[in-house]
Amino acid sequence: FFSSRRRHTRFKCDWSSDVCSSDLIGSDPNTSYIYQHETSTDADGQPLLASFTTGYFALSDGDLKTFIDQVWPDMKWGYYAGSQNATVNLTFNVVDYPGETPTTFGPYALTQQTTFITPRFRGRLVSITVSSSDTGSFWRIGNIRYRFQQDGKF
């Protein structure tokens, strides 16, 4: 239950777990629909907007900058024995020091036919945002590899 005094609006959403099937069931107060979650790849016929961002990881030792020029995706692009038609977007967030505003490279659209991408960035710390917004698709991330070289010191 949520109530905001500034807007004088109320929103209520009920969630429960069905003990027999362990799927989440939720209701939408605007449409009065009841939804069973985790049963399809879409959101009631609309794209299910999936996204996550990793934490920052170091590309090399503290005083070295690294240049990345190629990235090879490793993904499952659909269900086993199903169509392999997922499109996944990869975005790189690059900084030299923690707390800096990141420089963004991408998004790069990946499909099963994508062998590699060439983002060409330089930095010390990188986080990766993985997202998708297509309908009827399933994907799973694997071991993303990259080609790099030392690119100077600070």
Side-chain angles (χ1 to χ4, degrees), residues 3-151:
S3 177
S4 173
R5 292 185 183 192
R6 287 181 290 181
R7 294 184 184 172
H8 301 289
T9 60
R10 294 184 144 197
F11 176 80
K12 185 175 182 181
C13 186
D14 296 322
W15 294 94
S16 68
S17 178
D18 184 354
V19 177
C20 297
S21 67
S22 72
D23 290 326
L24 290 176
I25 298 173
S27 64
D28 184 345
N30 298 322
T31 62
S32 298
Y33 288 152
I34 296 176
Y35 293 101
Q36 184 176 7
H37 293 265
E38 310 299 334
T39 60
S40 77
T41 57
D42 298 329
D44 195 22
Q46 300 299 314
L48 184 61
L49 307 176
S51 174
F52 70 89
T53 301
T54 68
Y56 283 99
F57 55 92
L59 294 171
S60 64
D61 291 332
D63 64 339
L64 300 175
K65 282 197 167 197
T66 302
F67 177 71
I68 305 290
D69 67 339
Q70 285 188 353
V71 176
W72 293 276
D74 180 18
M75 309 278 291
K76 298 289 185 187
W77 303 101
Y79 287 117
Y80 176 76
S83 63
Q84 305 293 307
N85 63 348
T87 300
V88 177
N89 296 309
L90 215 57
T91 303
F92 300 94
N93 311 299
V94 182
V95 297
D96 287 330
Y97 297 99
E100 282 186 341
T101 301
T103 303
T104 303
F105 295 86
Y108 297 94
L110 309 174
T111 64
Q112 187 180 24
Q113 290 73 35
T114 306
T115 54
F116 65 90
I117 57 173
T118 55
R120 301 183 56 84
F121 59 84
R122 177 180 189 256
R124 286 181 51 220
L125 303 169
V126 176
S127 77
I128 300 174
T129 300
V130 181
S131 63
S132 70
S133 61
D134 50 348
T135 57
S137 70
F138 169 84
W139 54 270
R140 183 174 22 204
I141 193 166
N143 183 25
I144 297 175
R145 292 162 295 174
Y146 53 91
R147 184 169 75 175
F148 67 96
Q149 69 182 23
Q150 181 180 337
D151 197 35

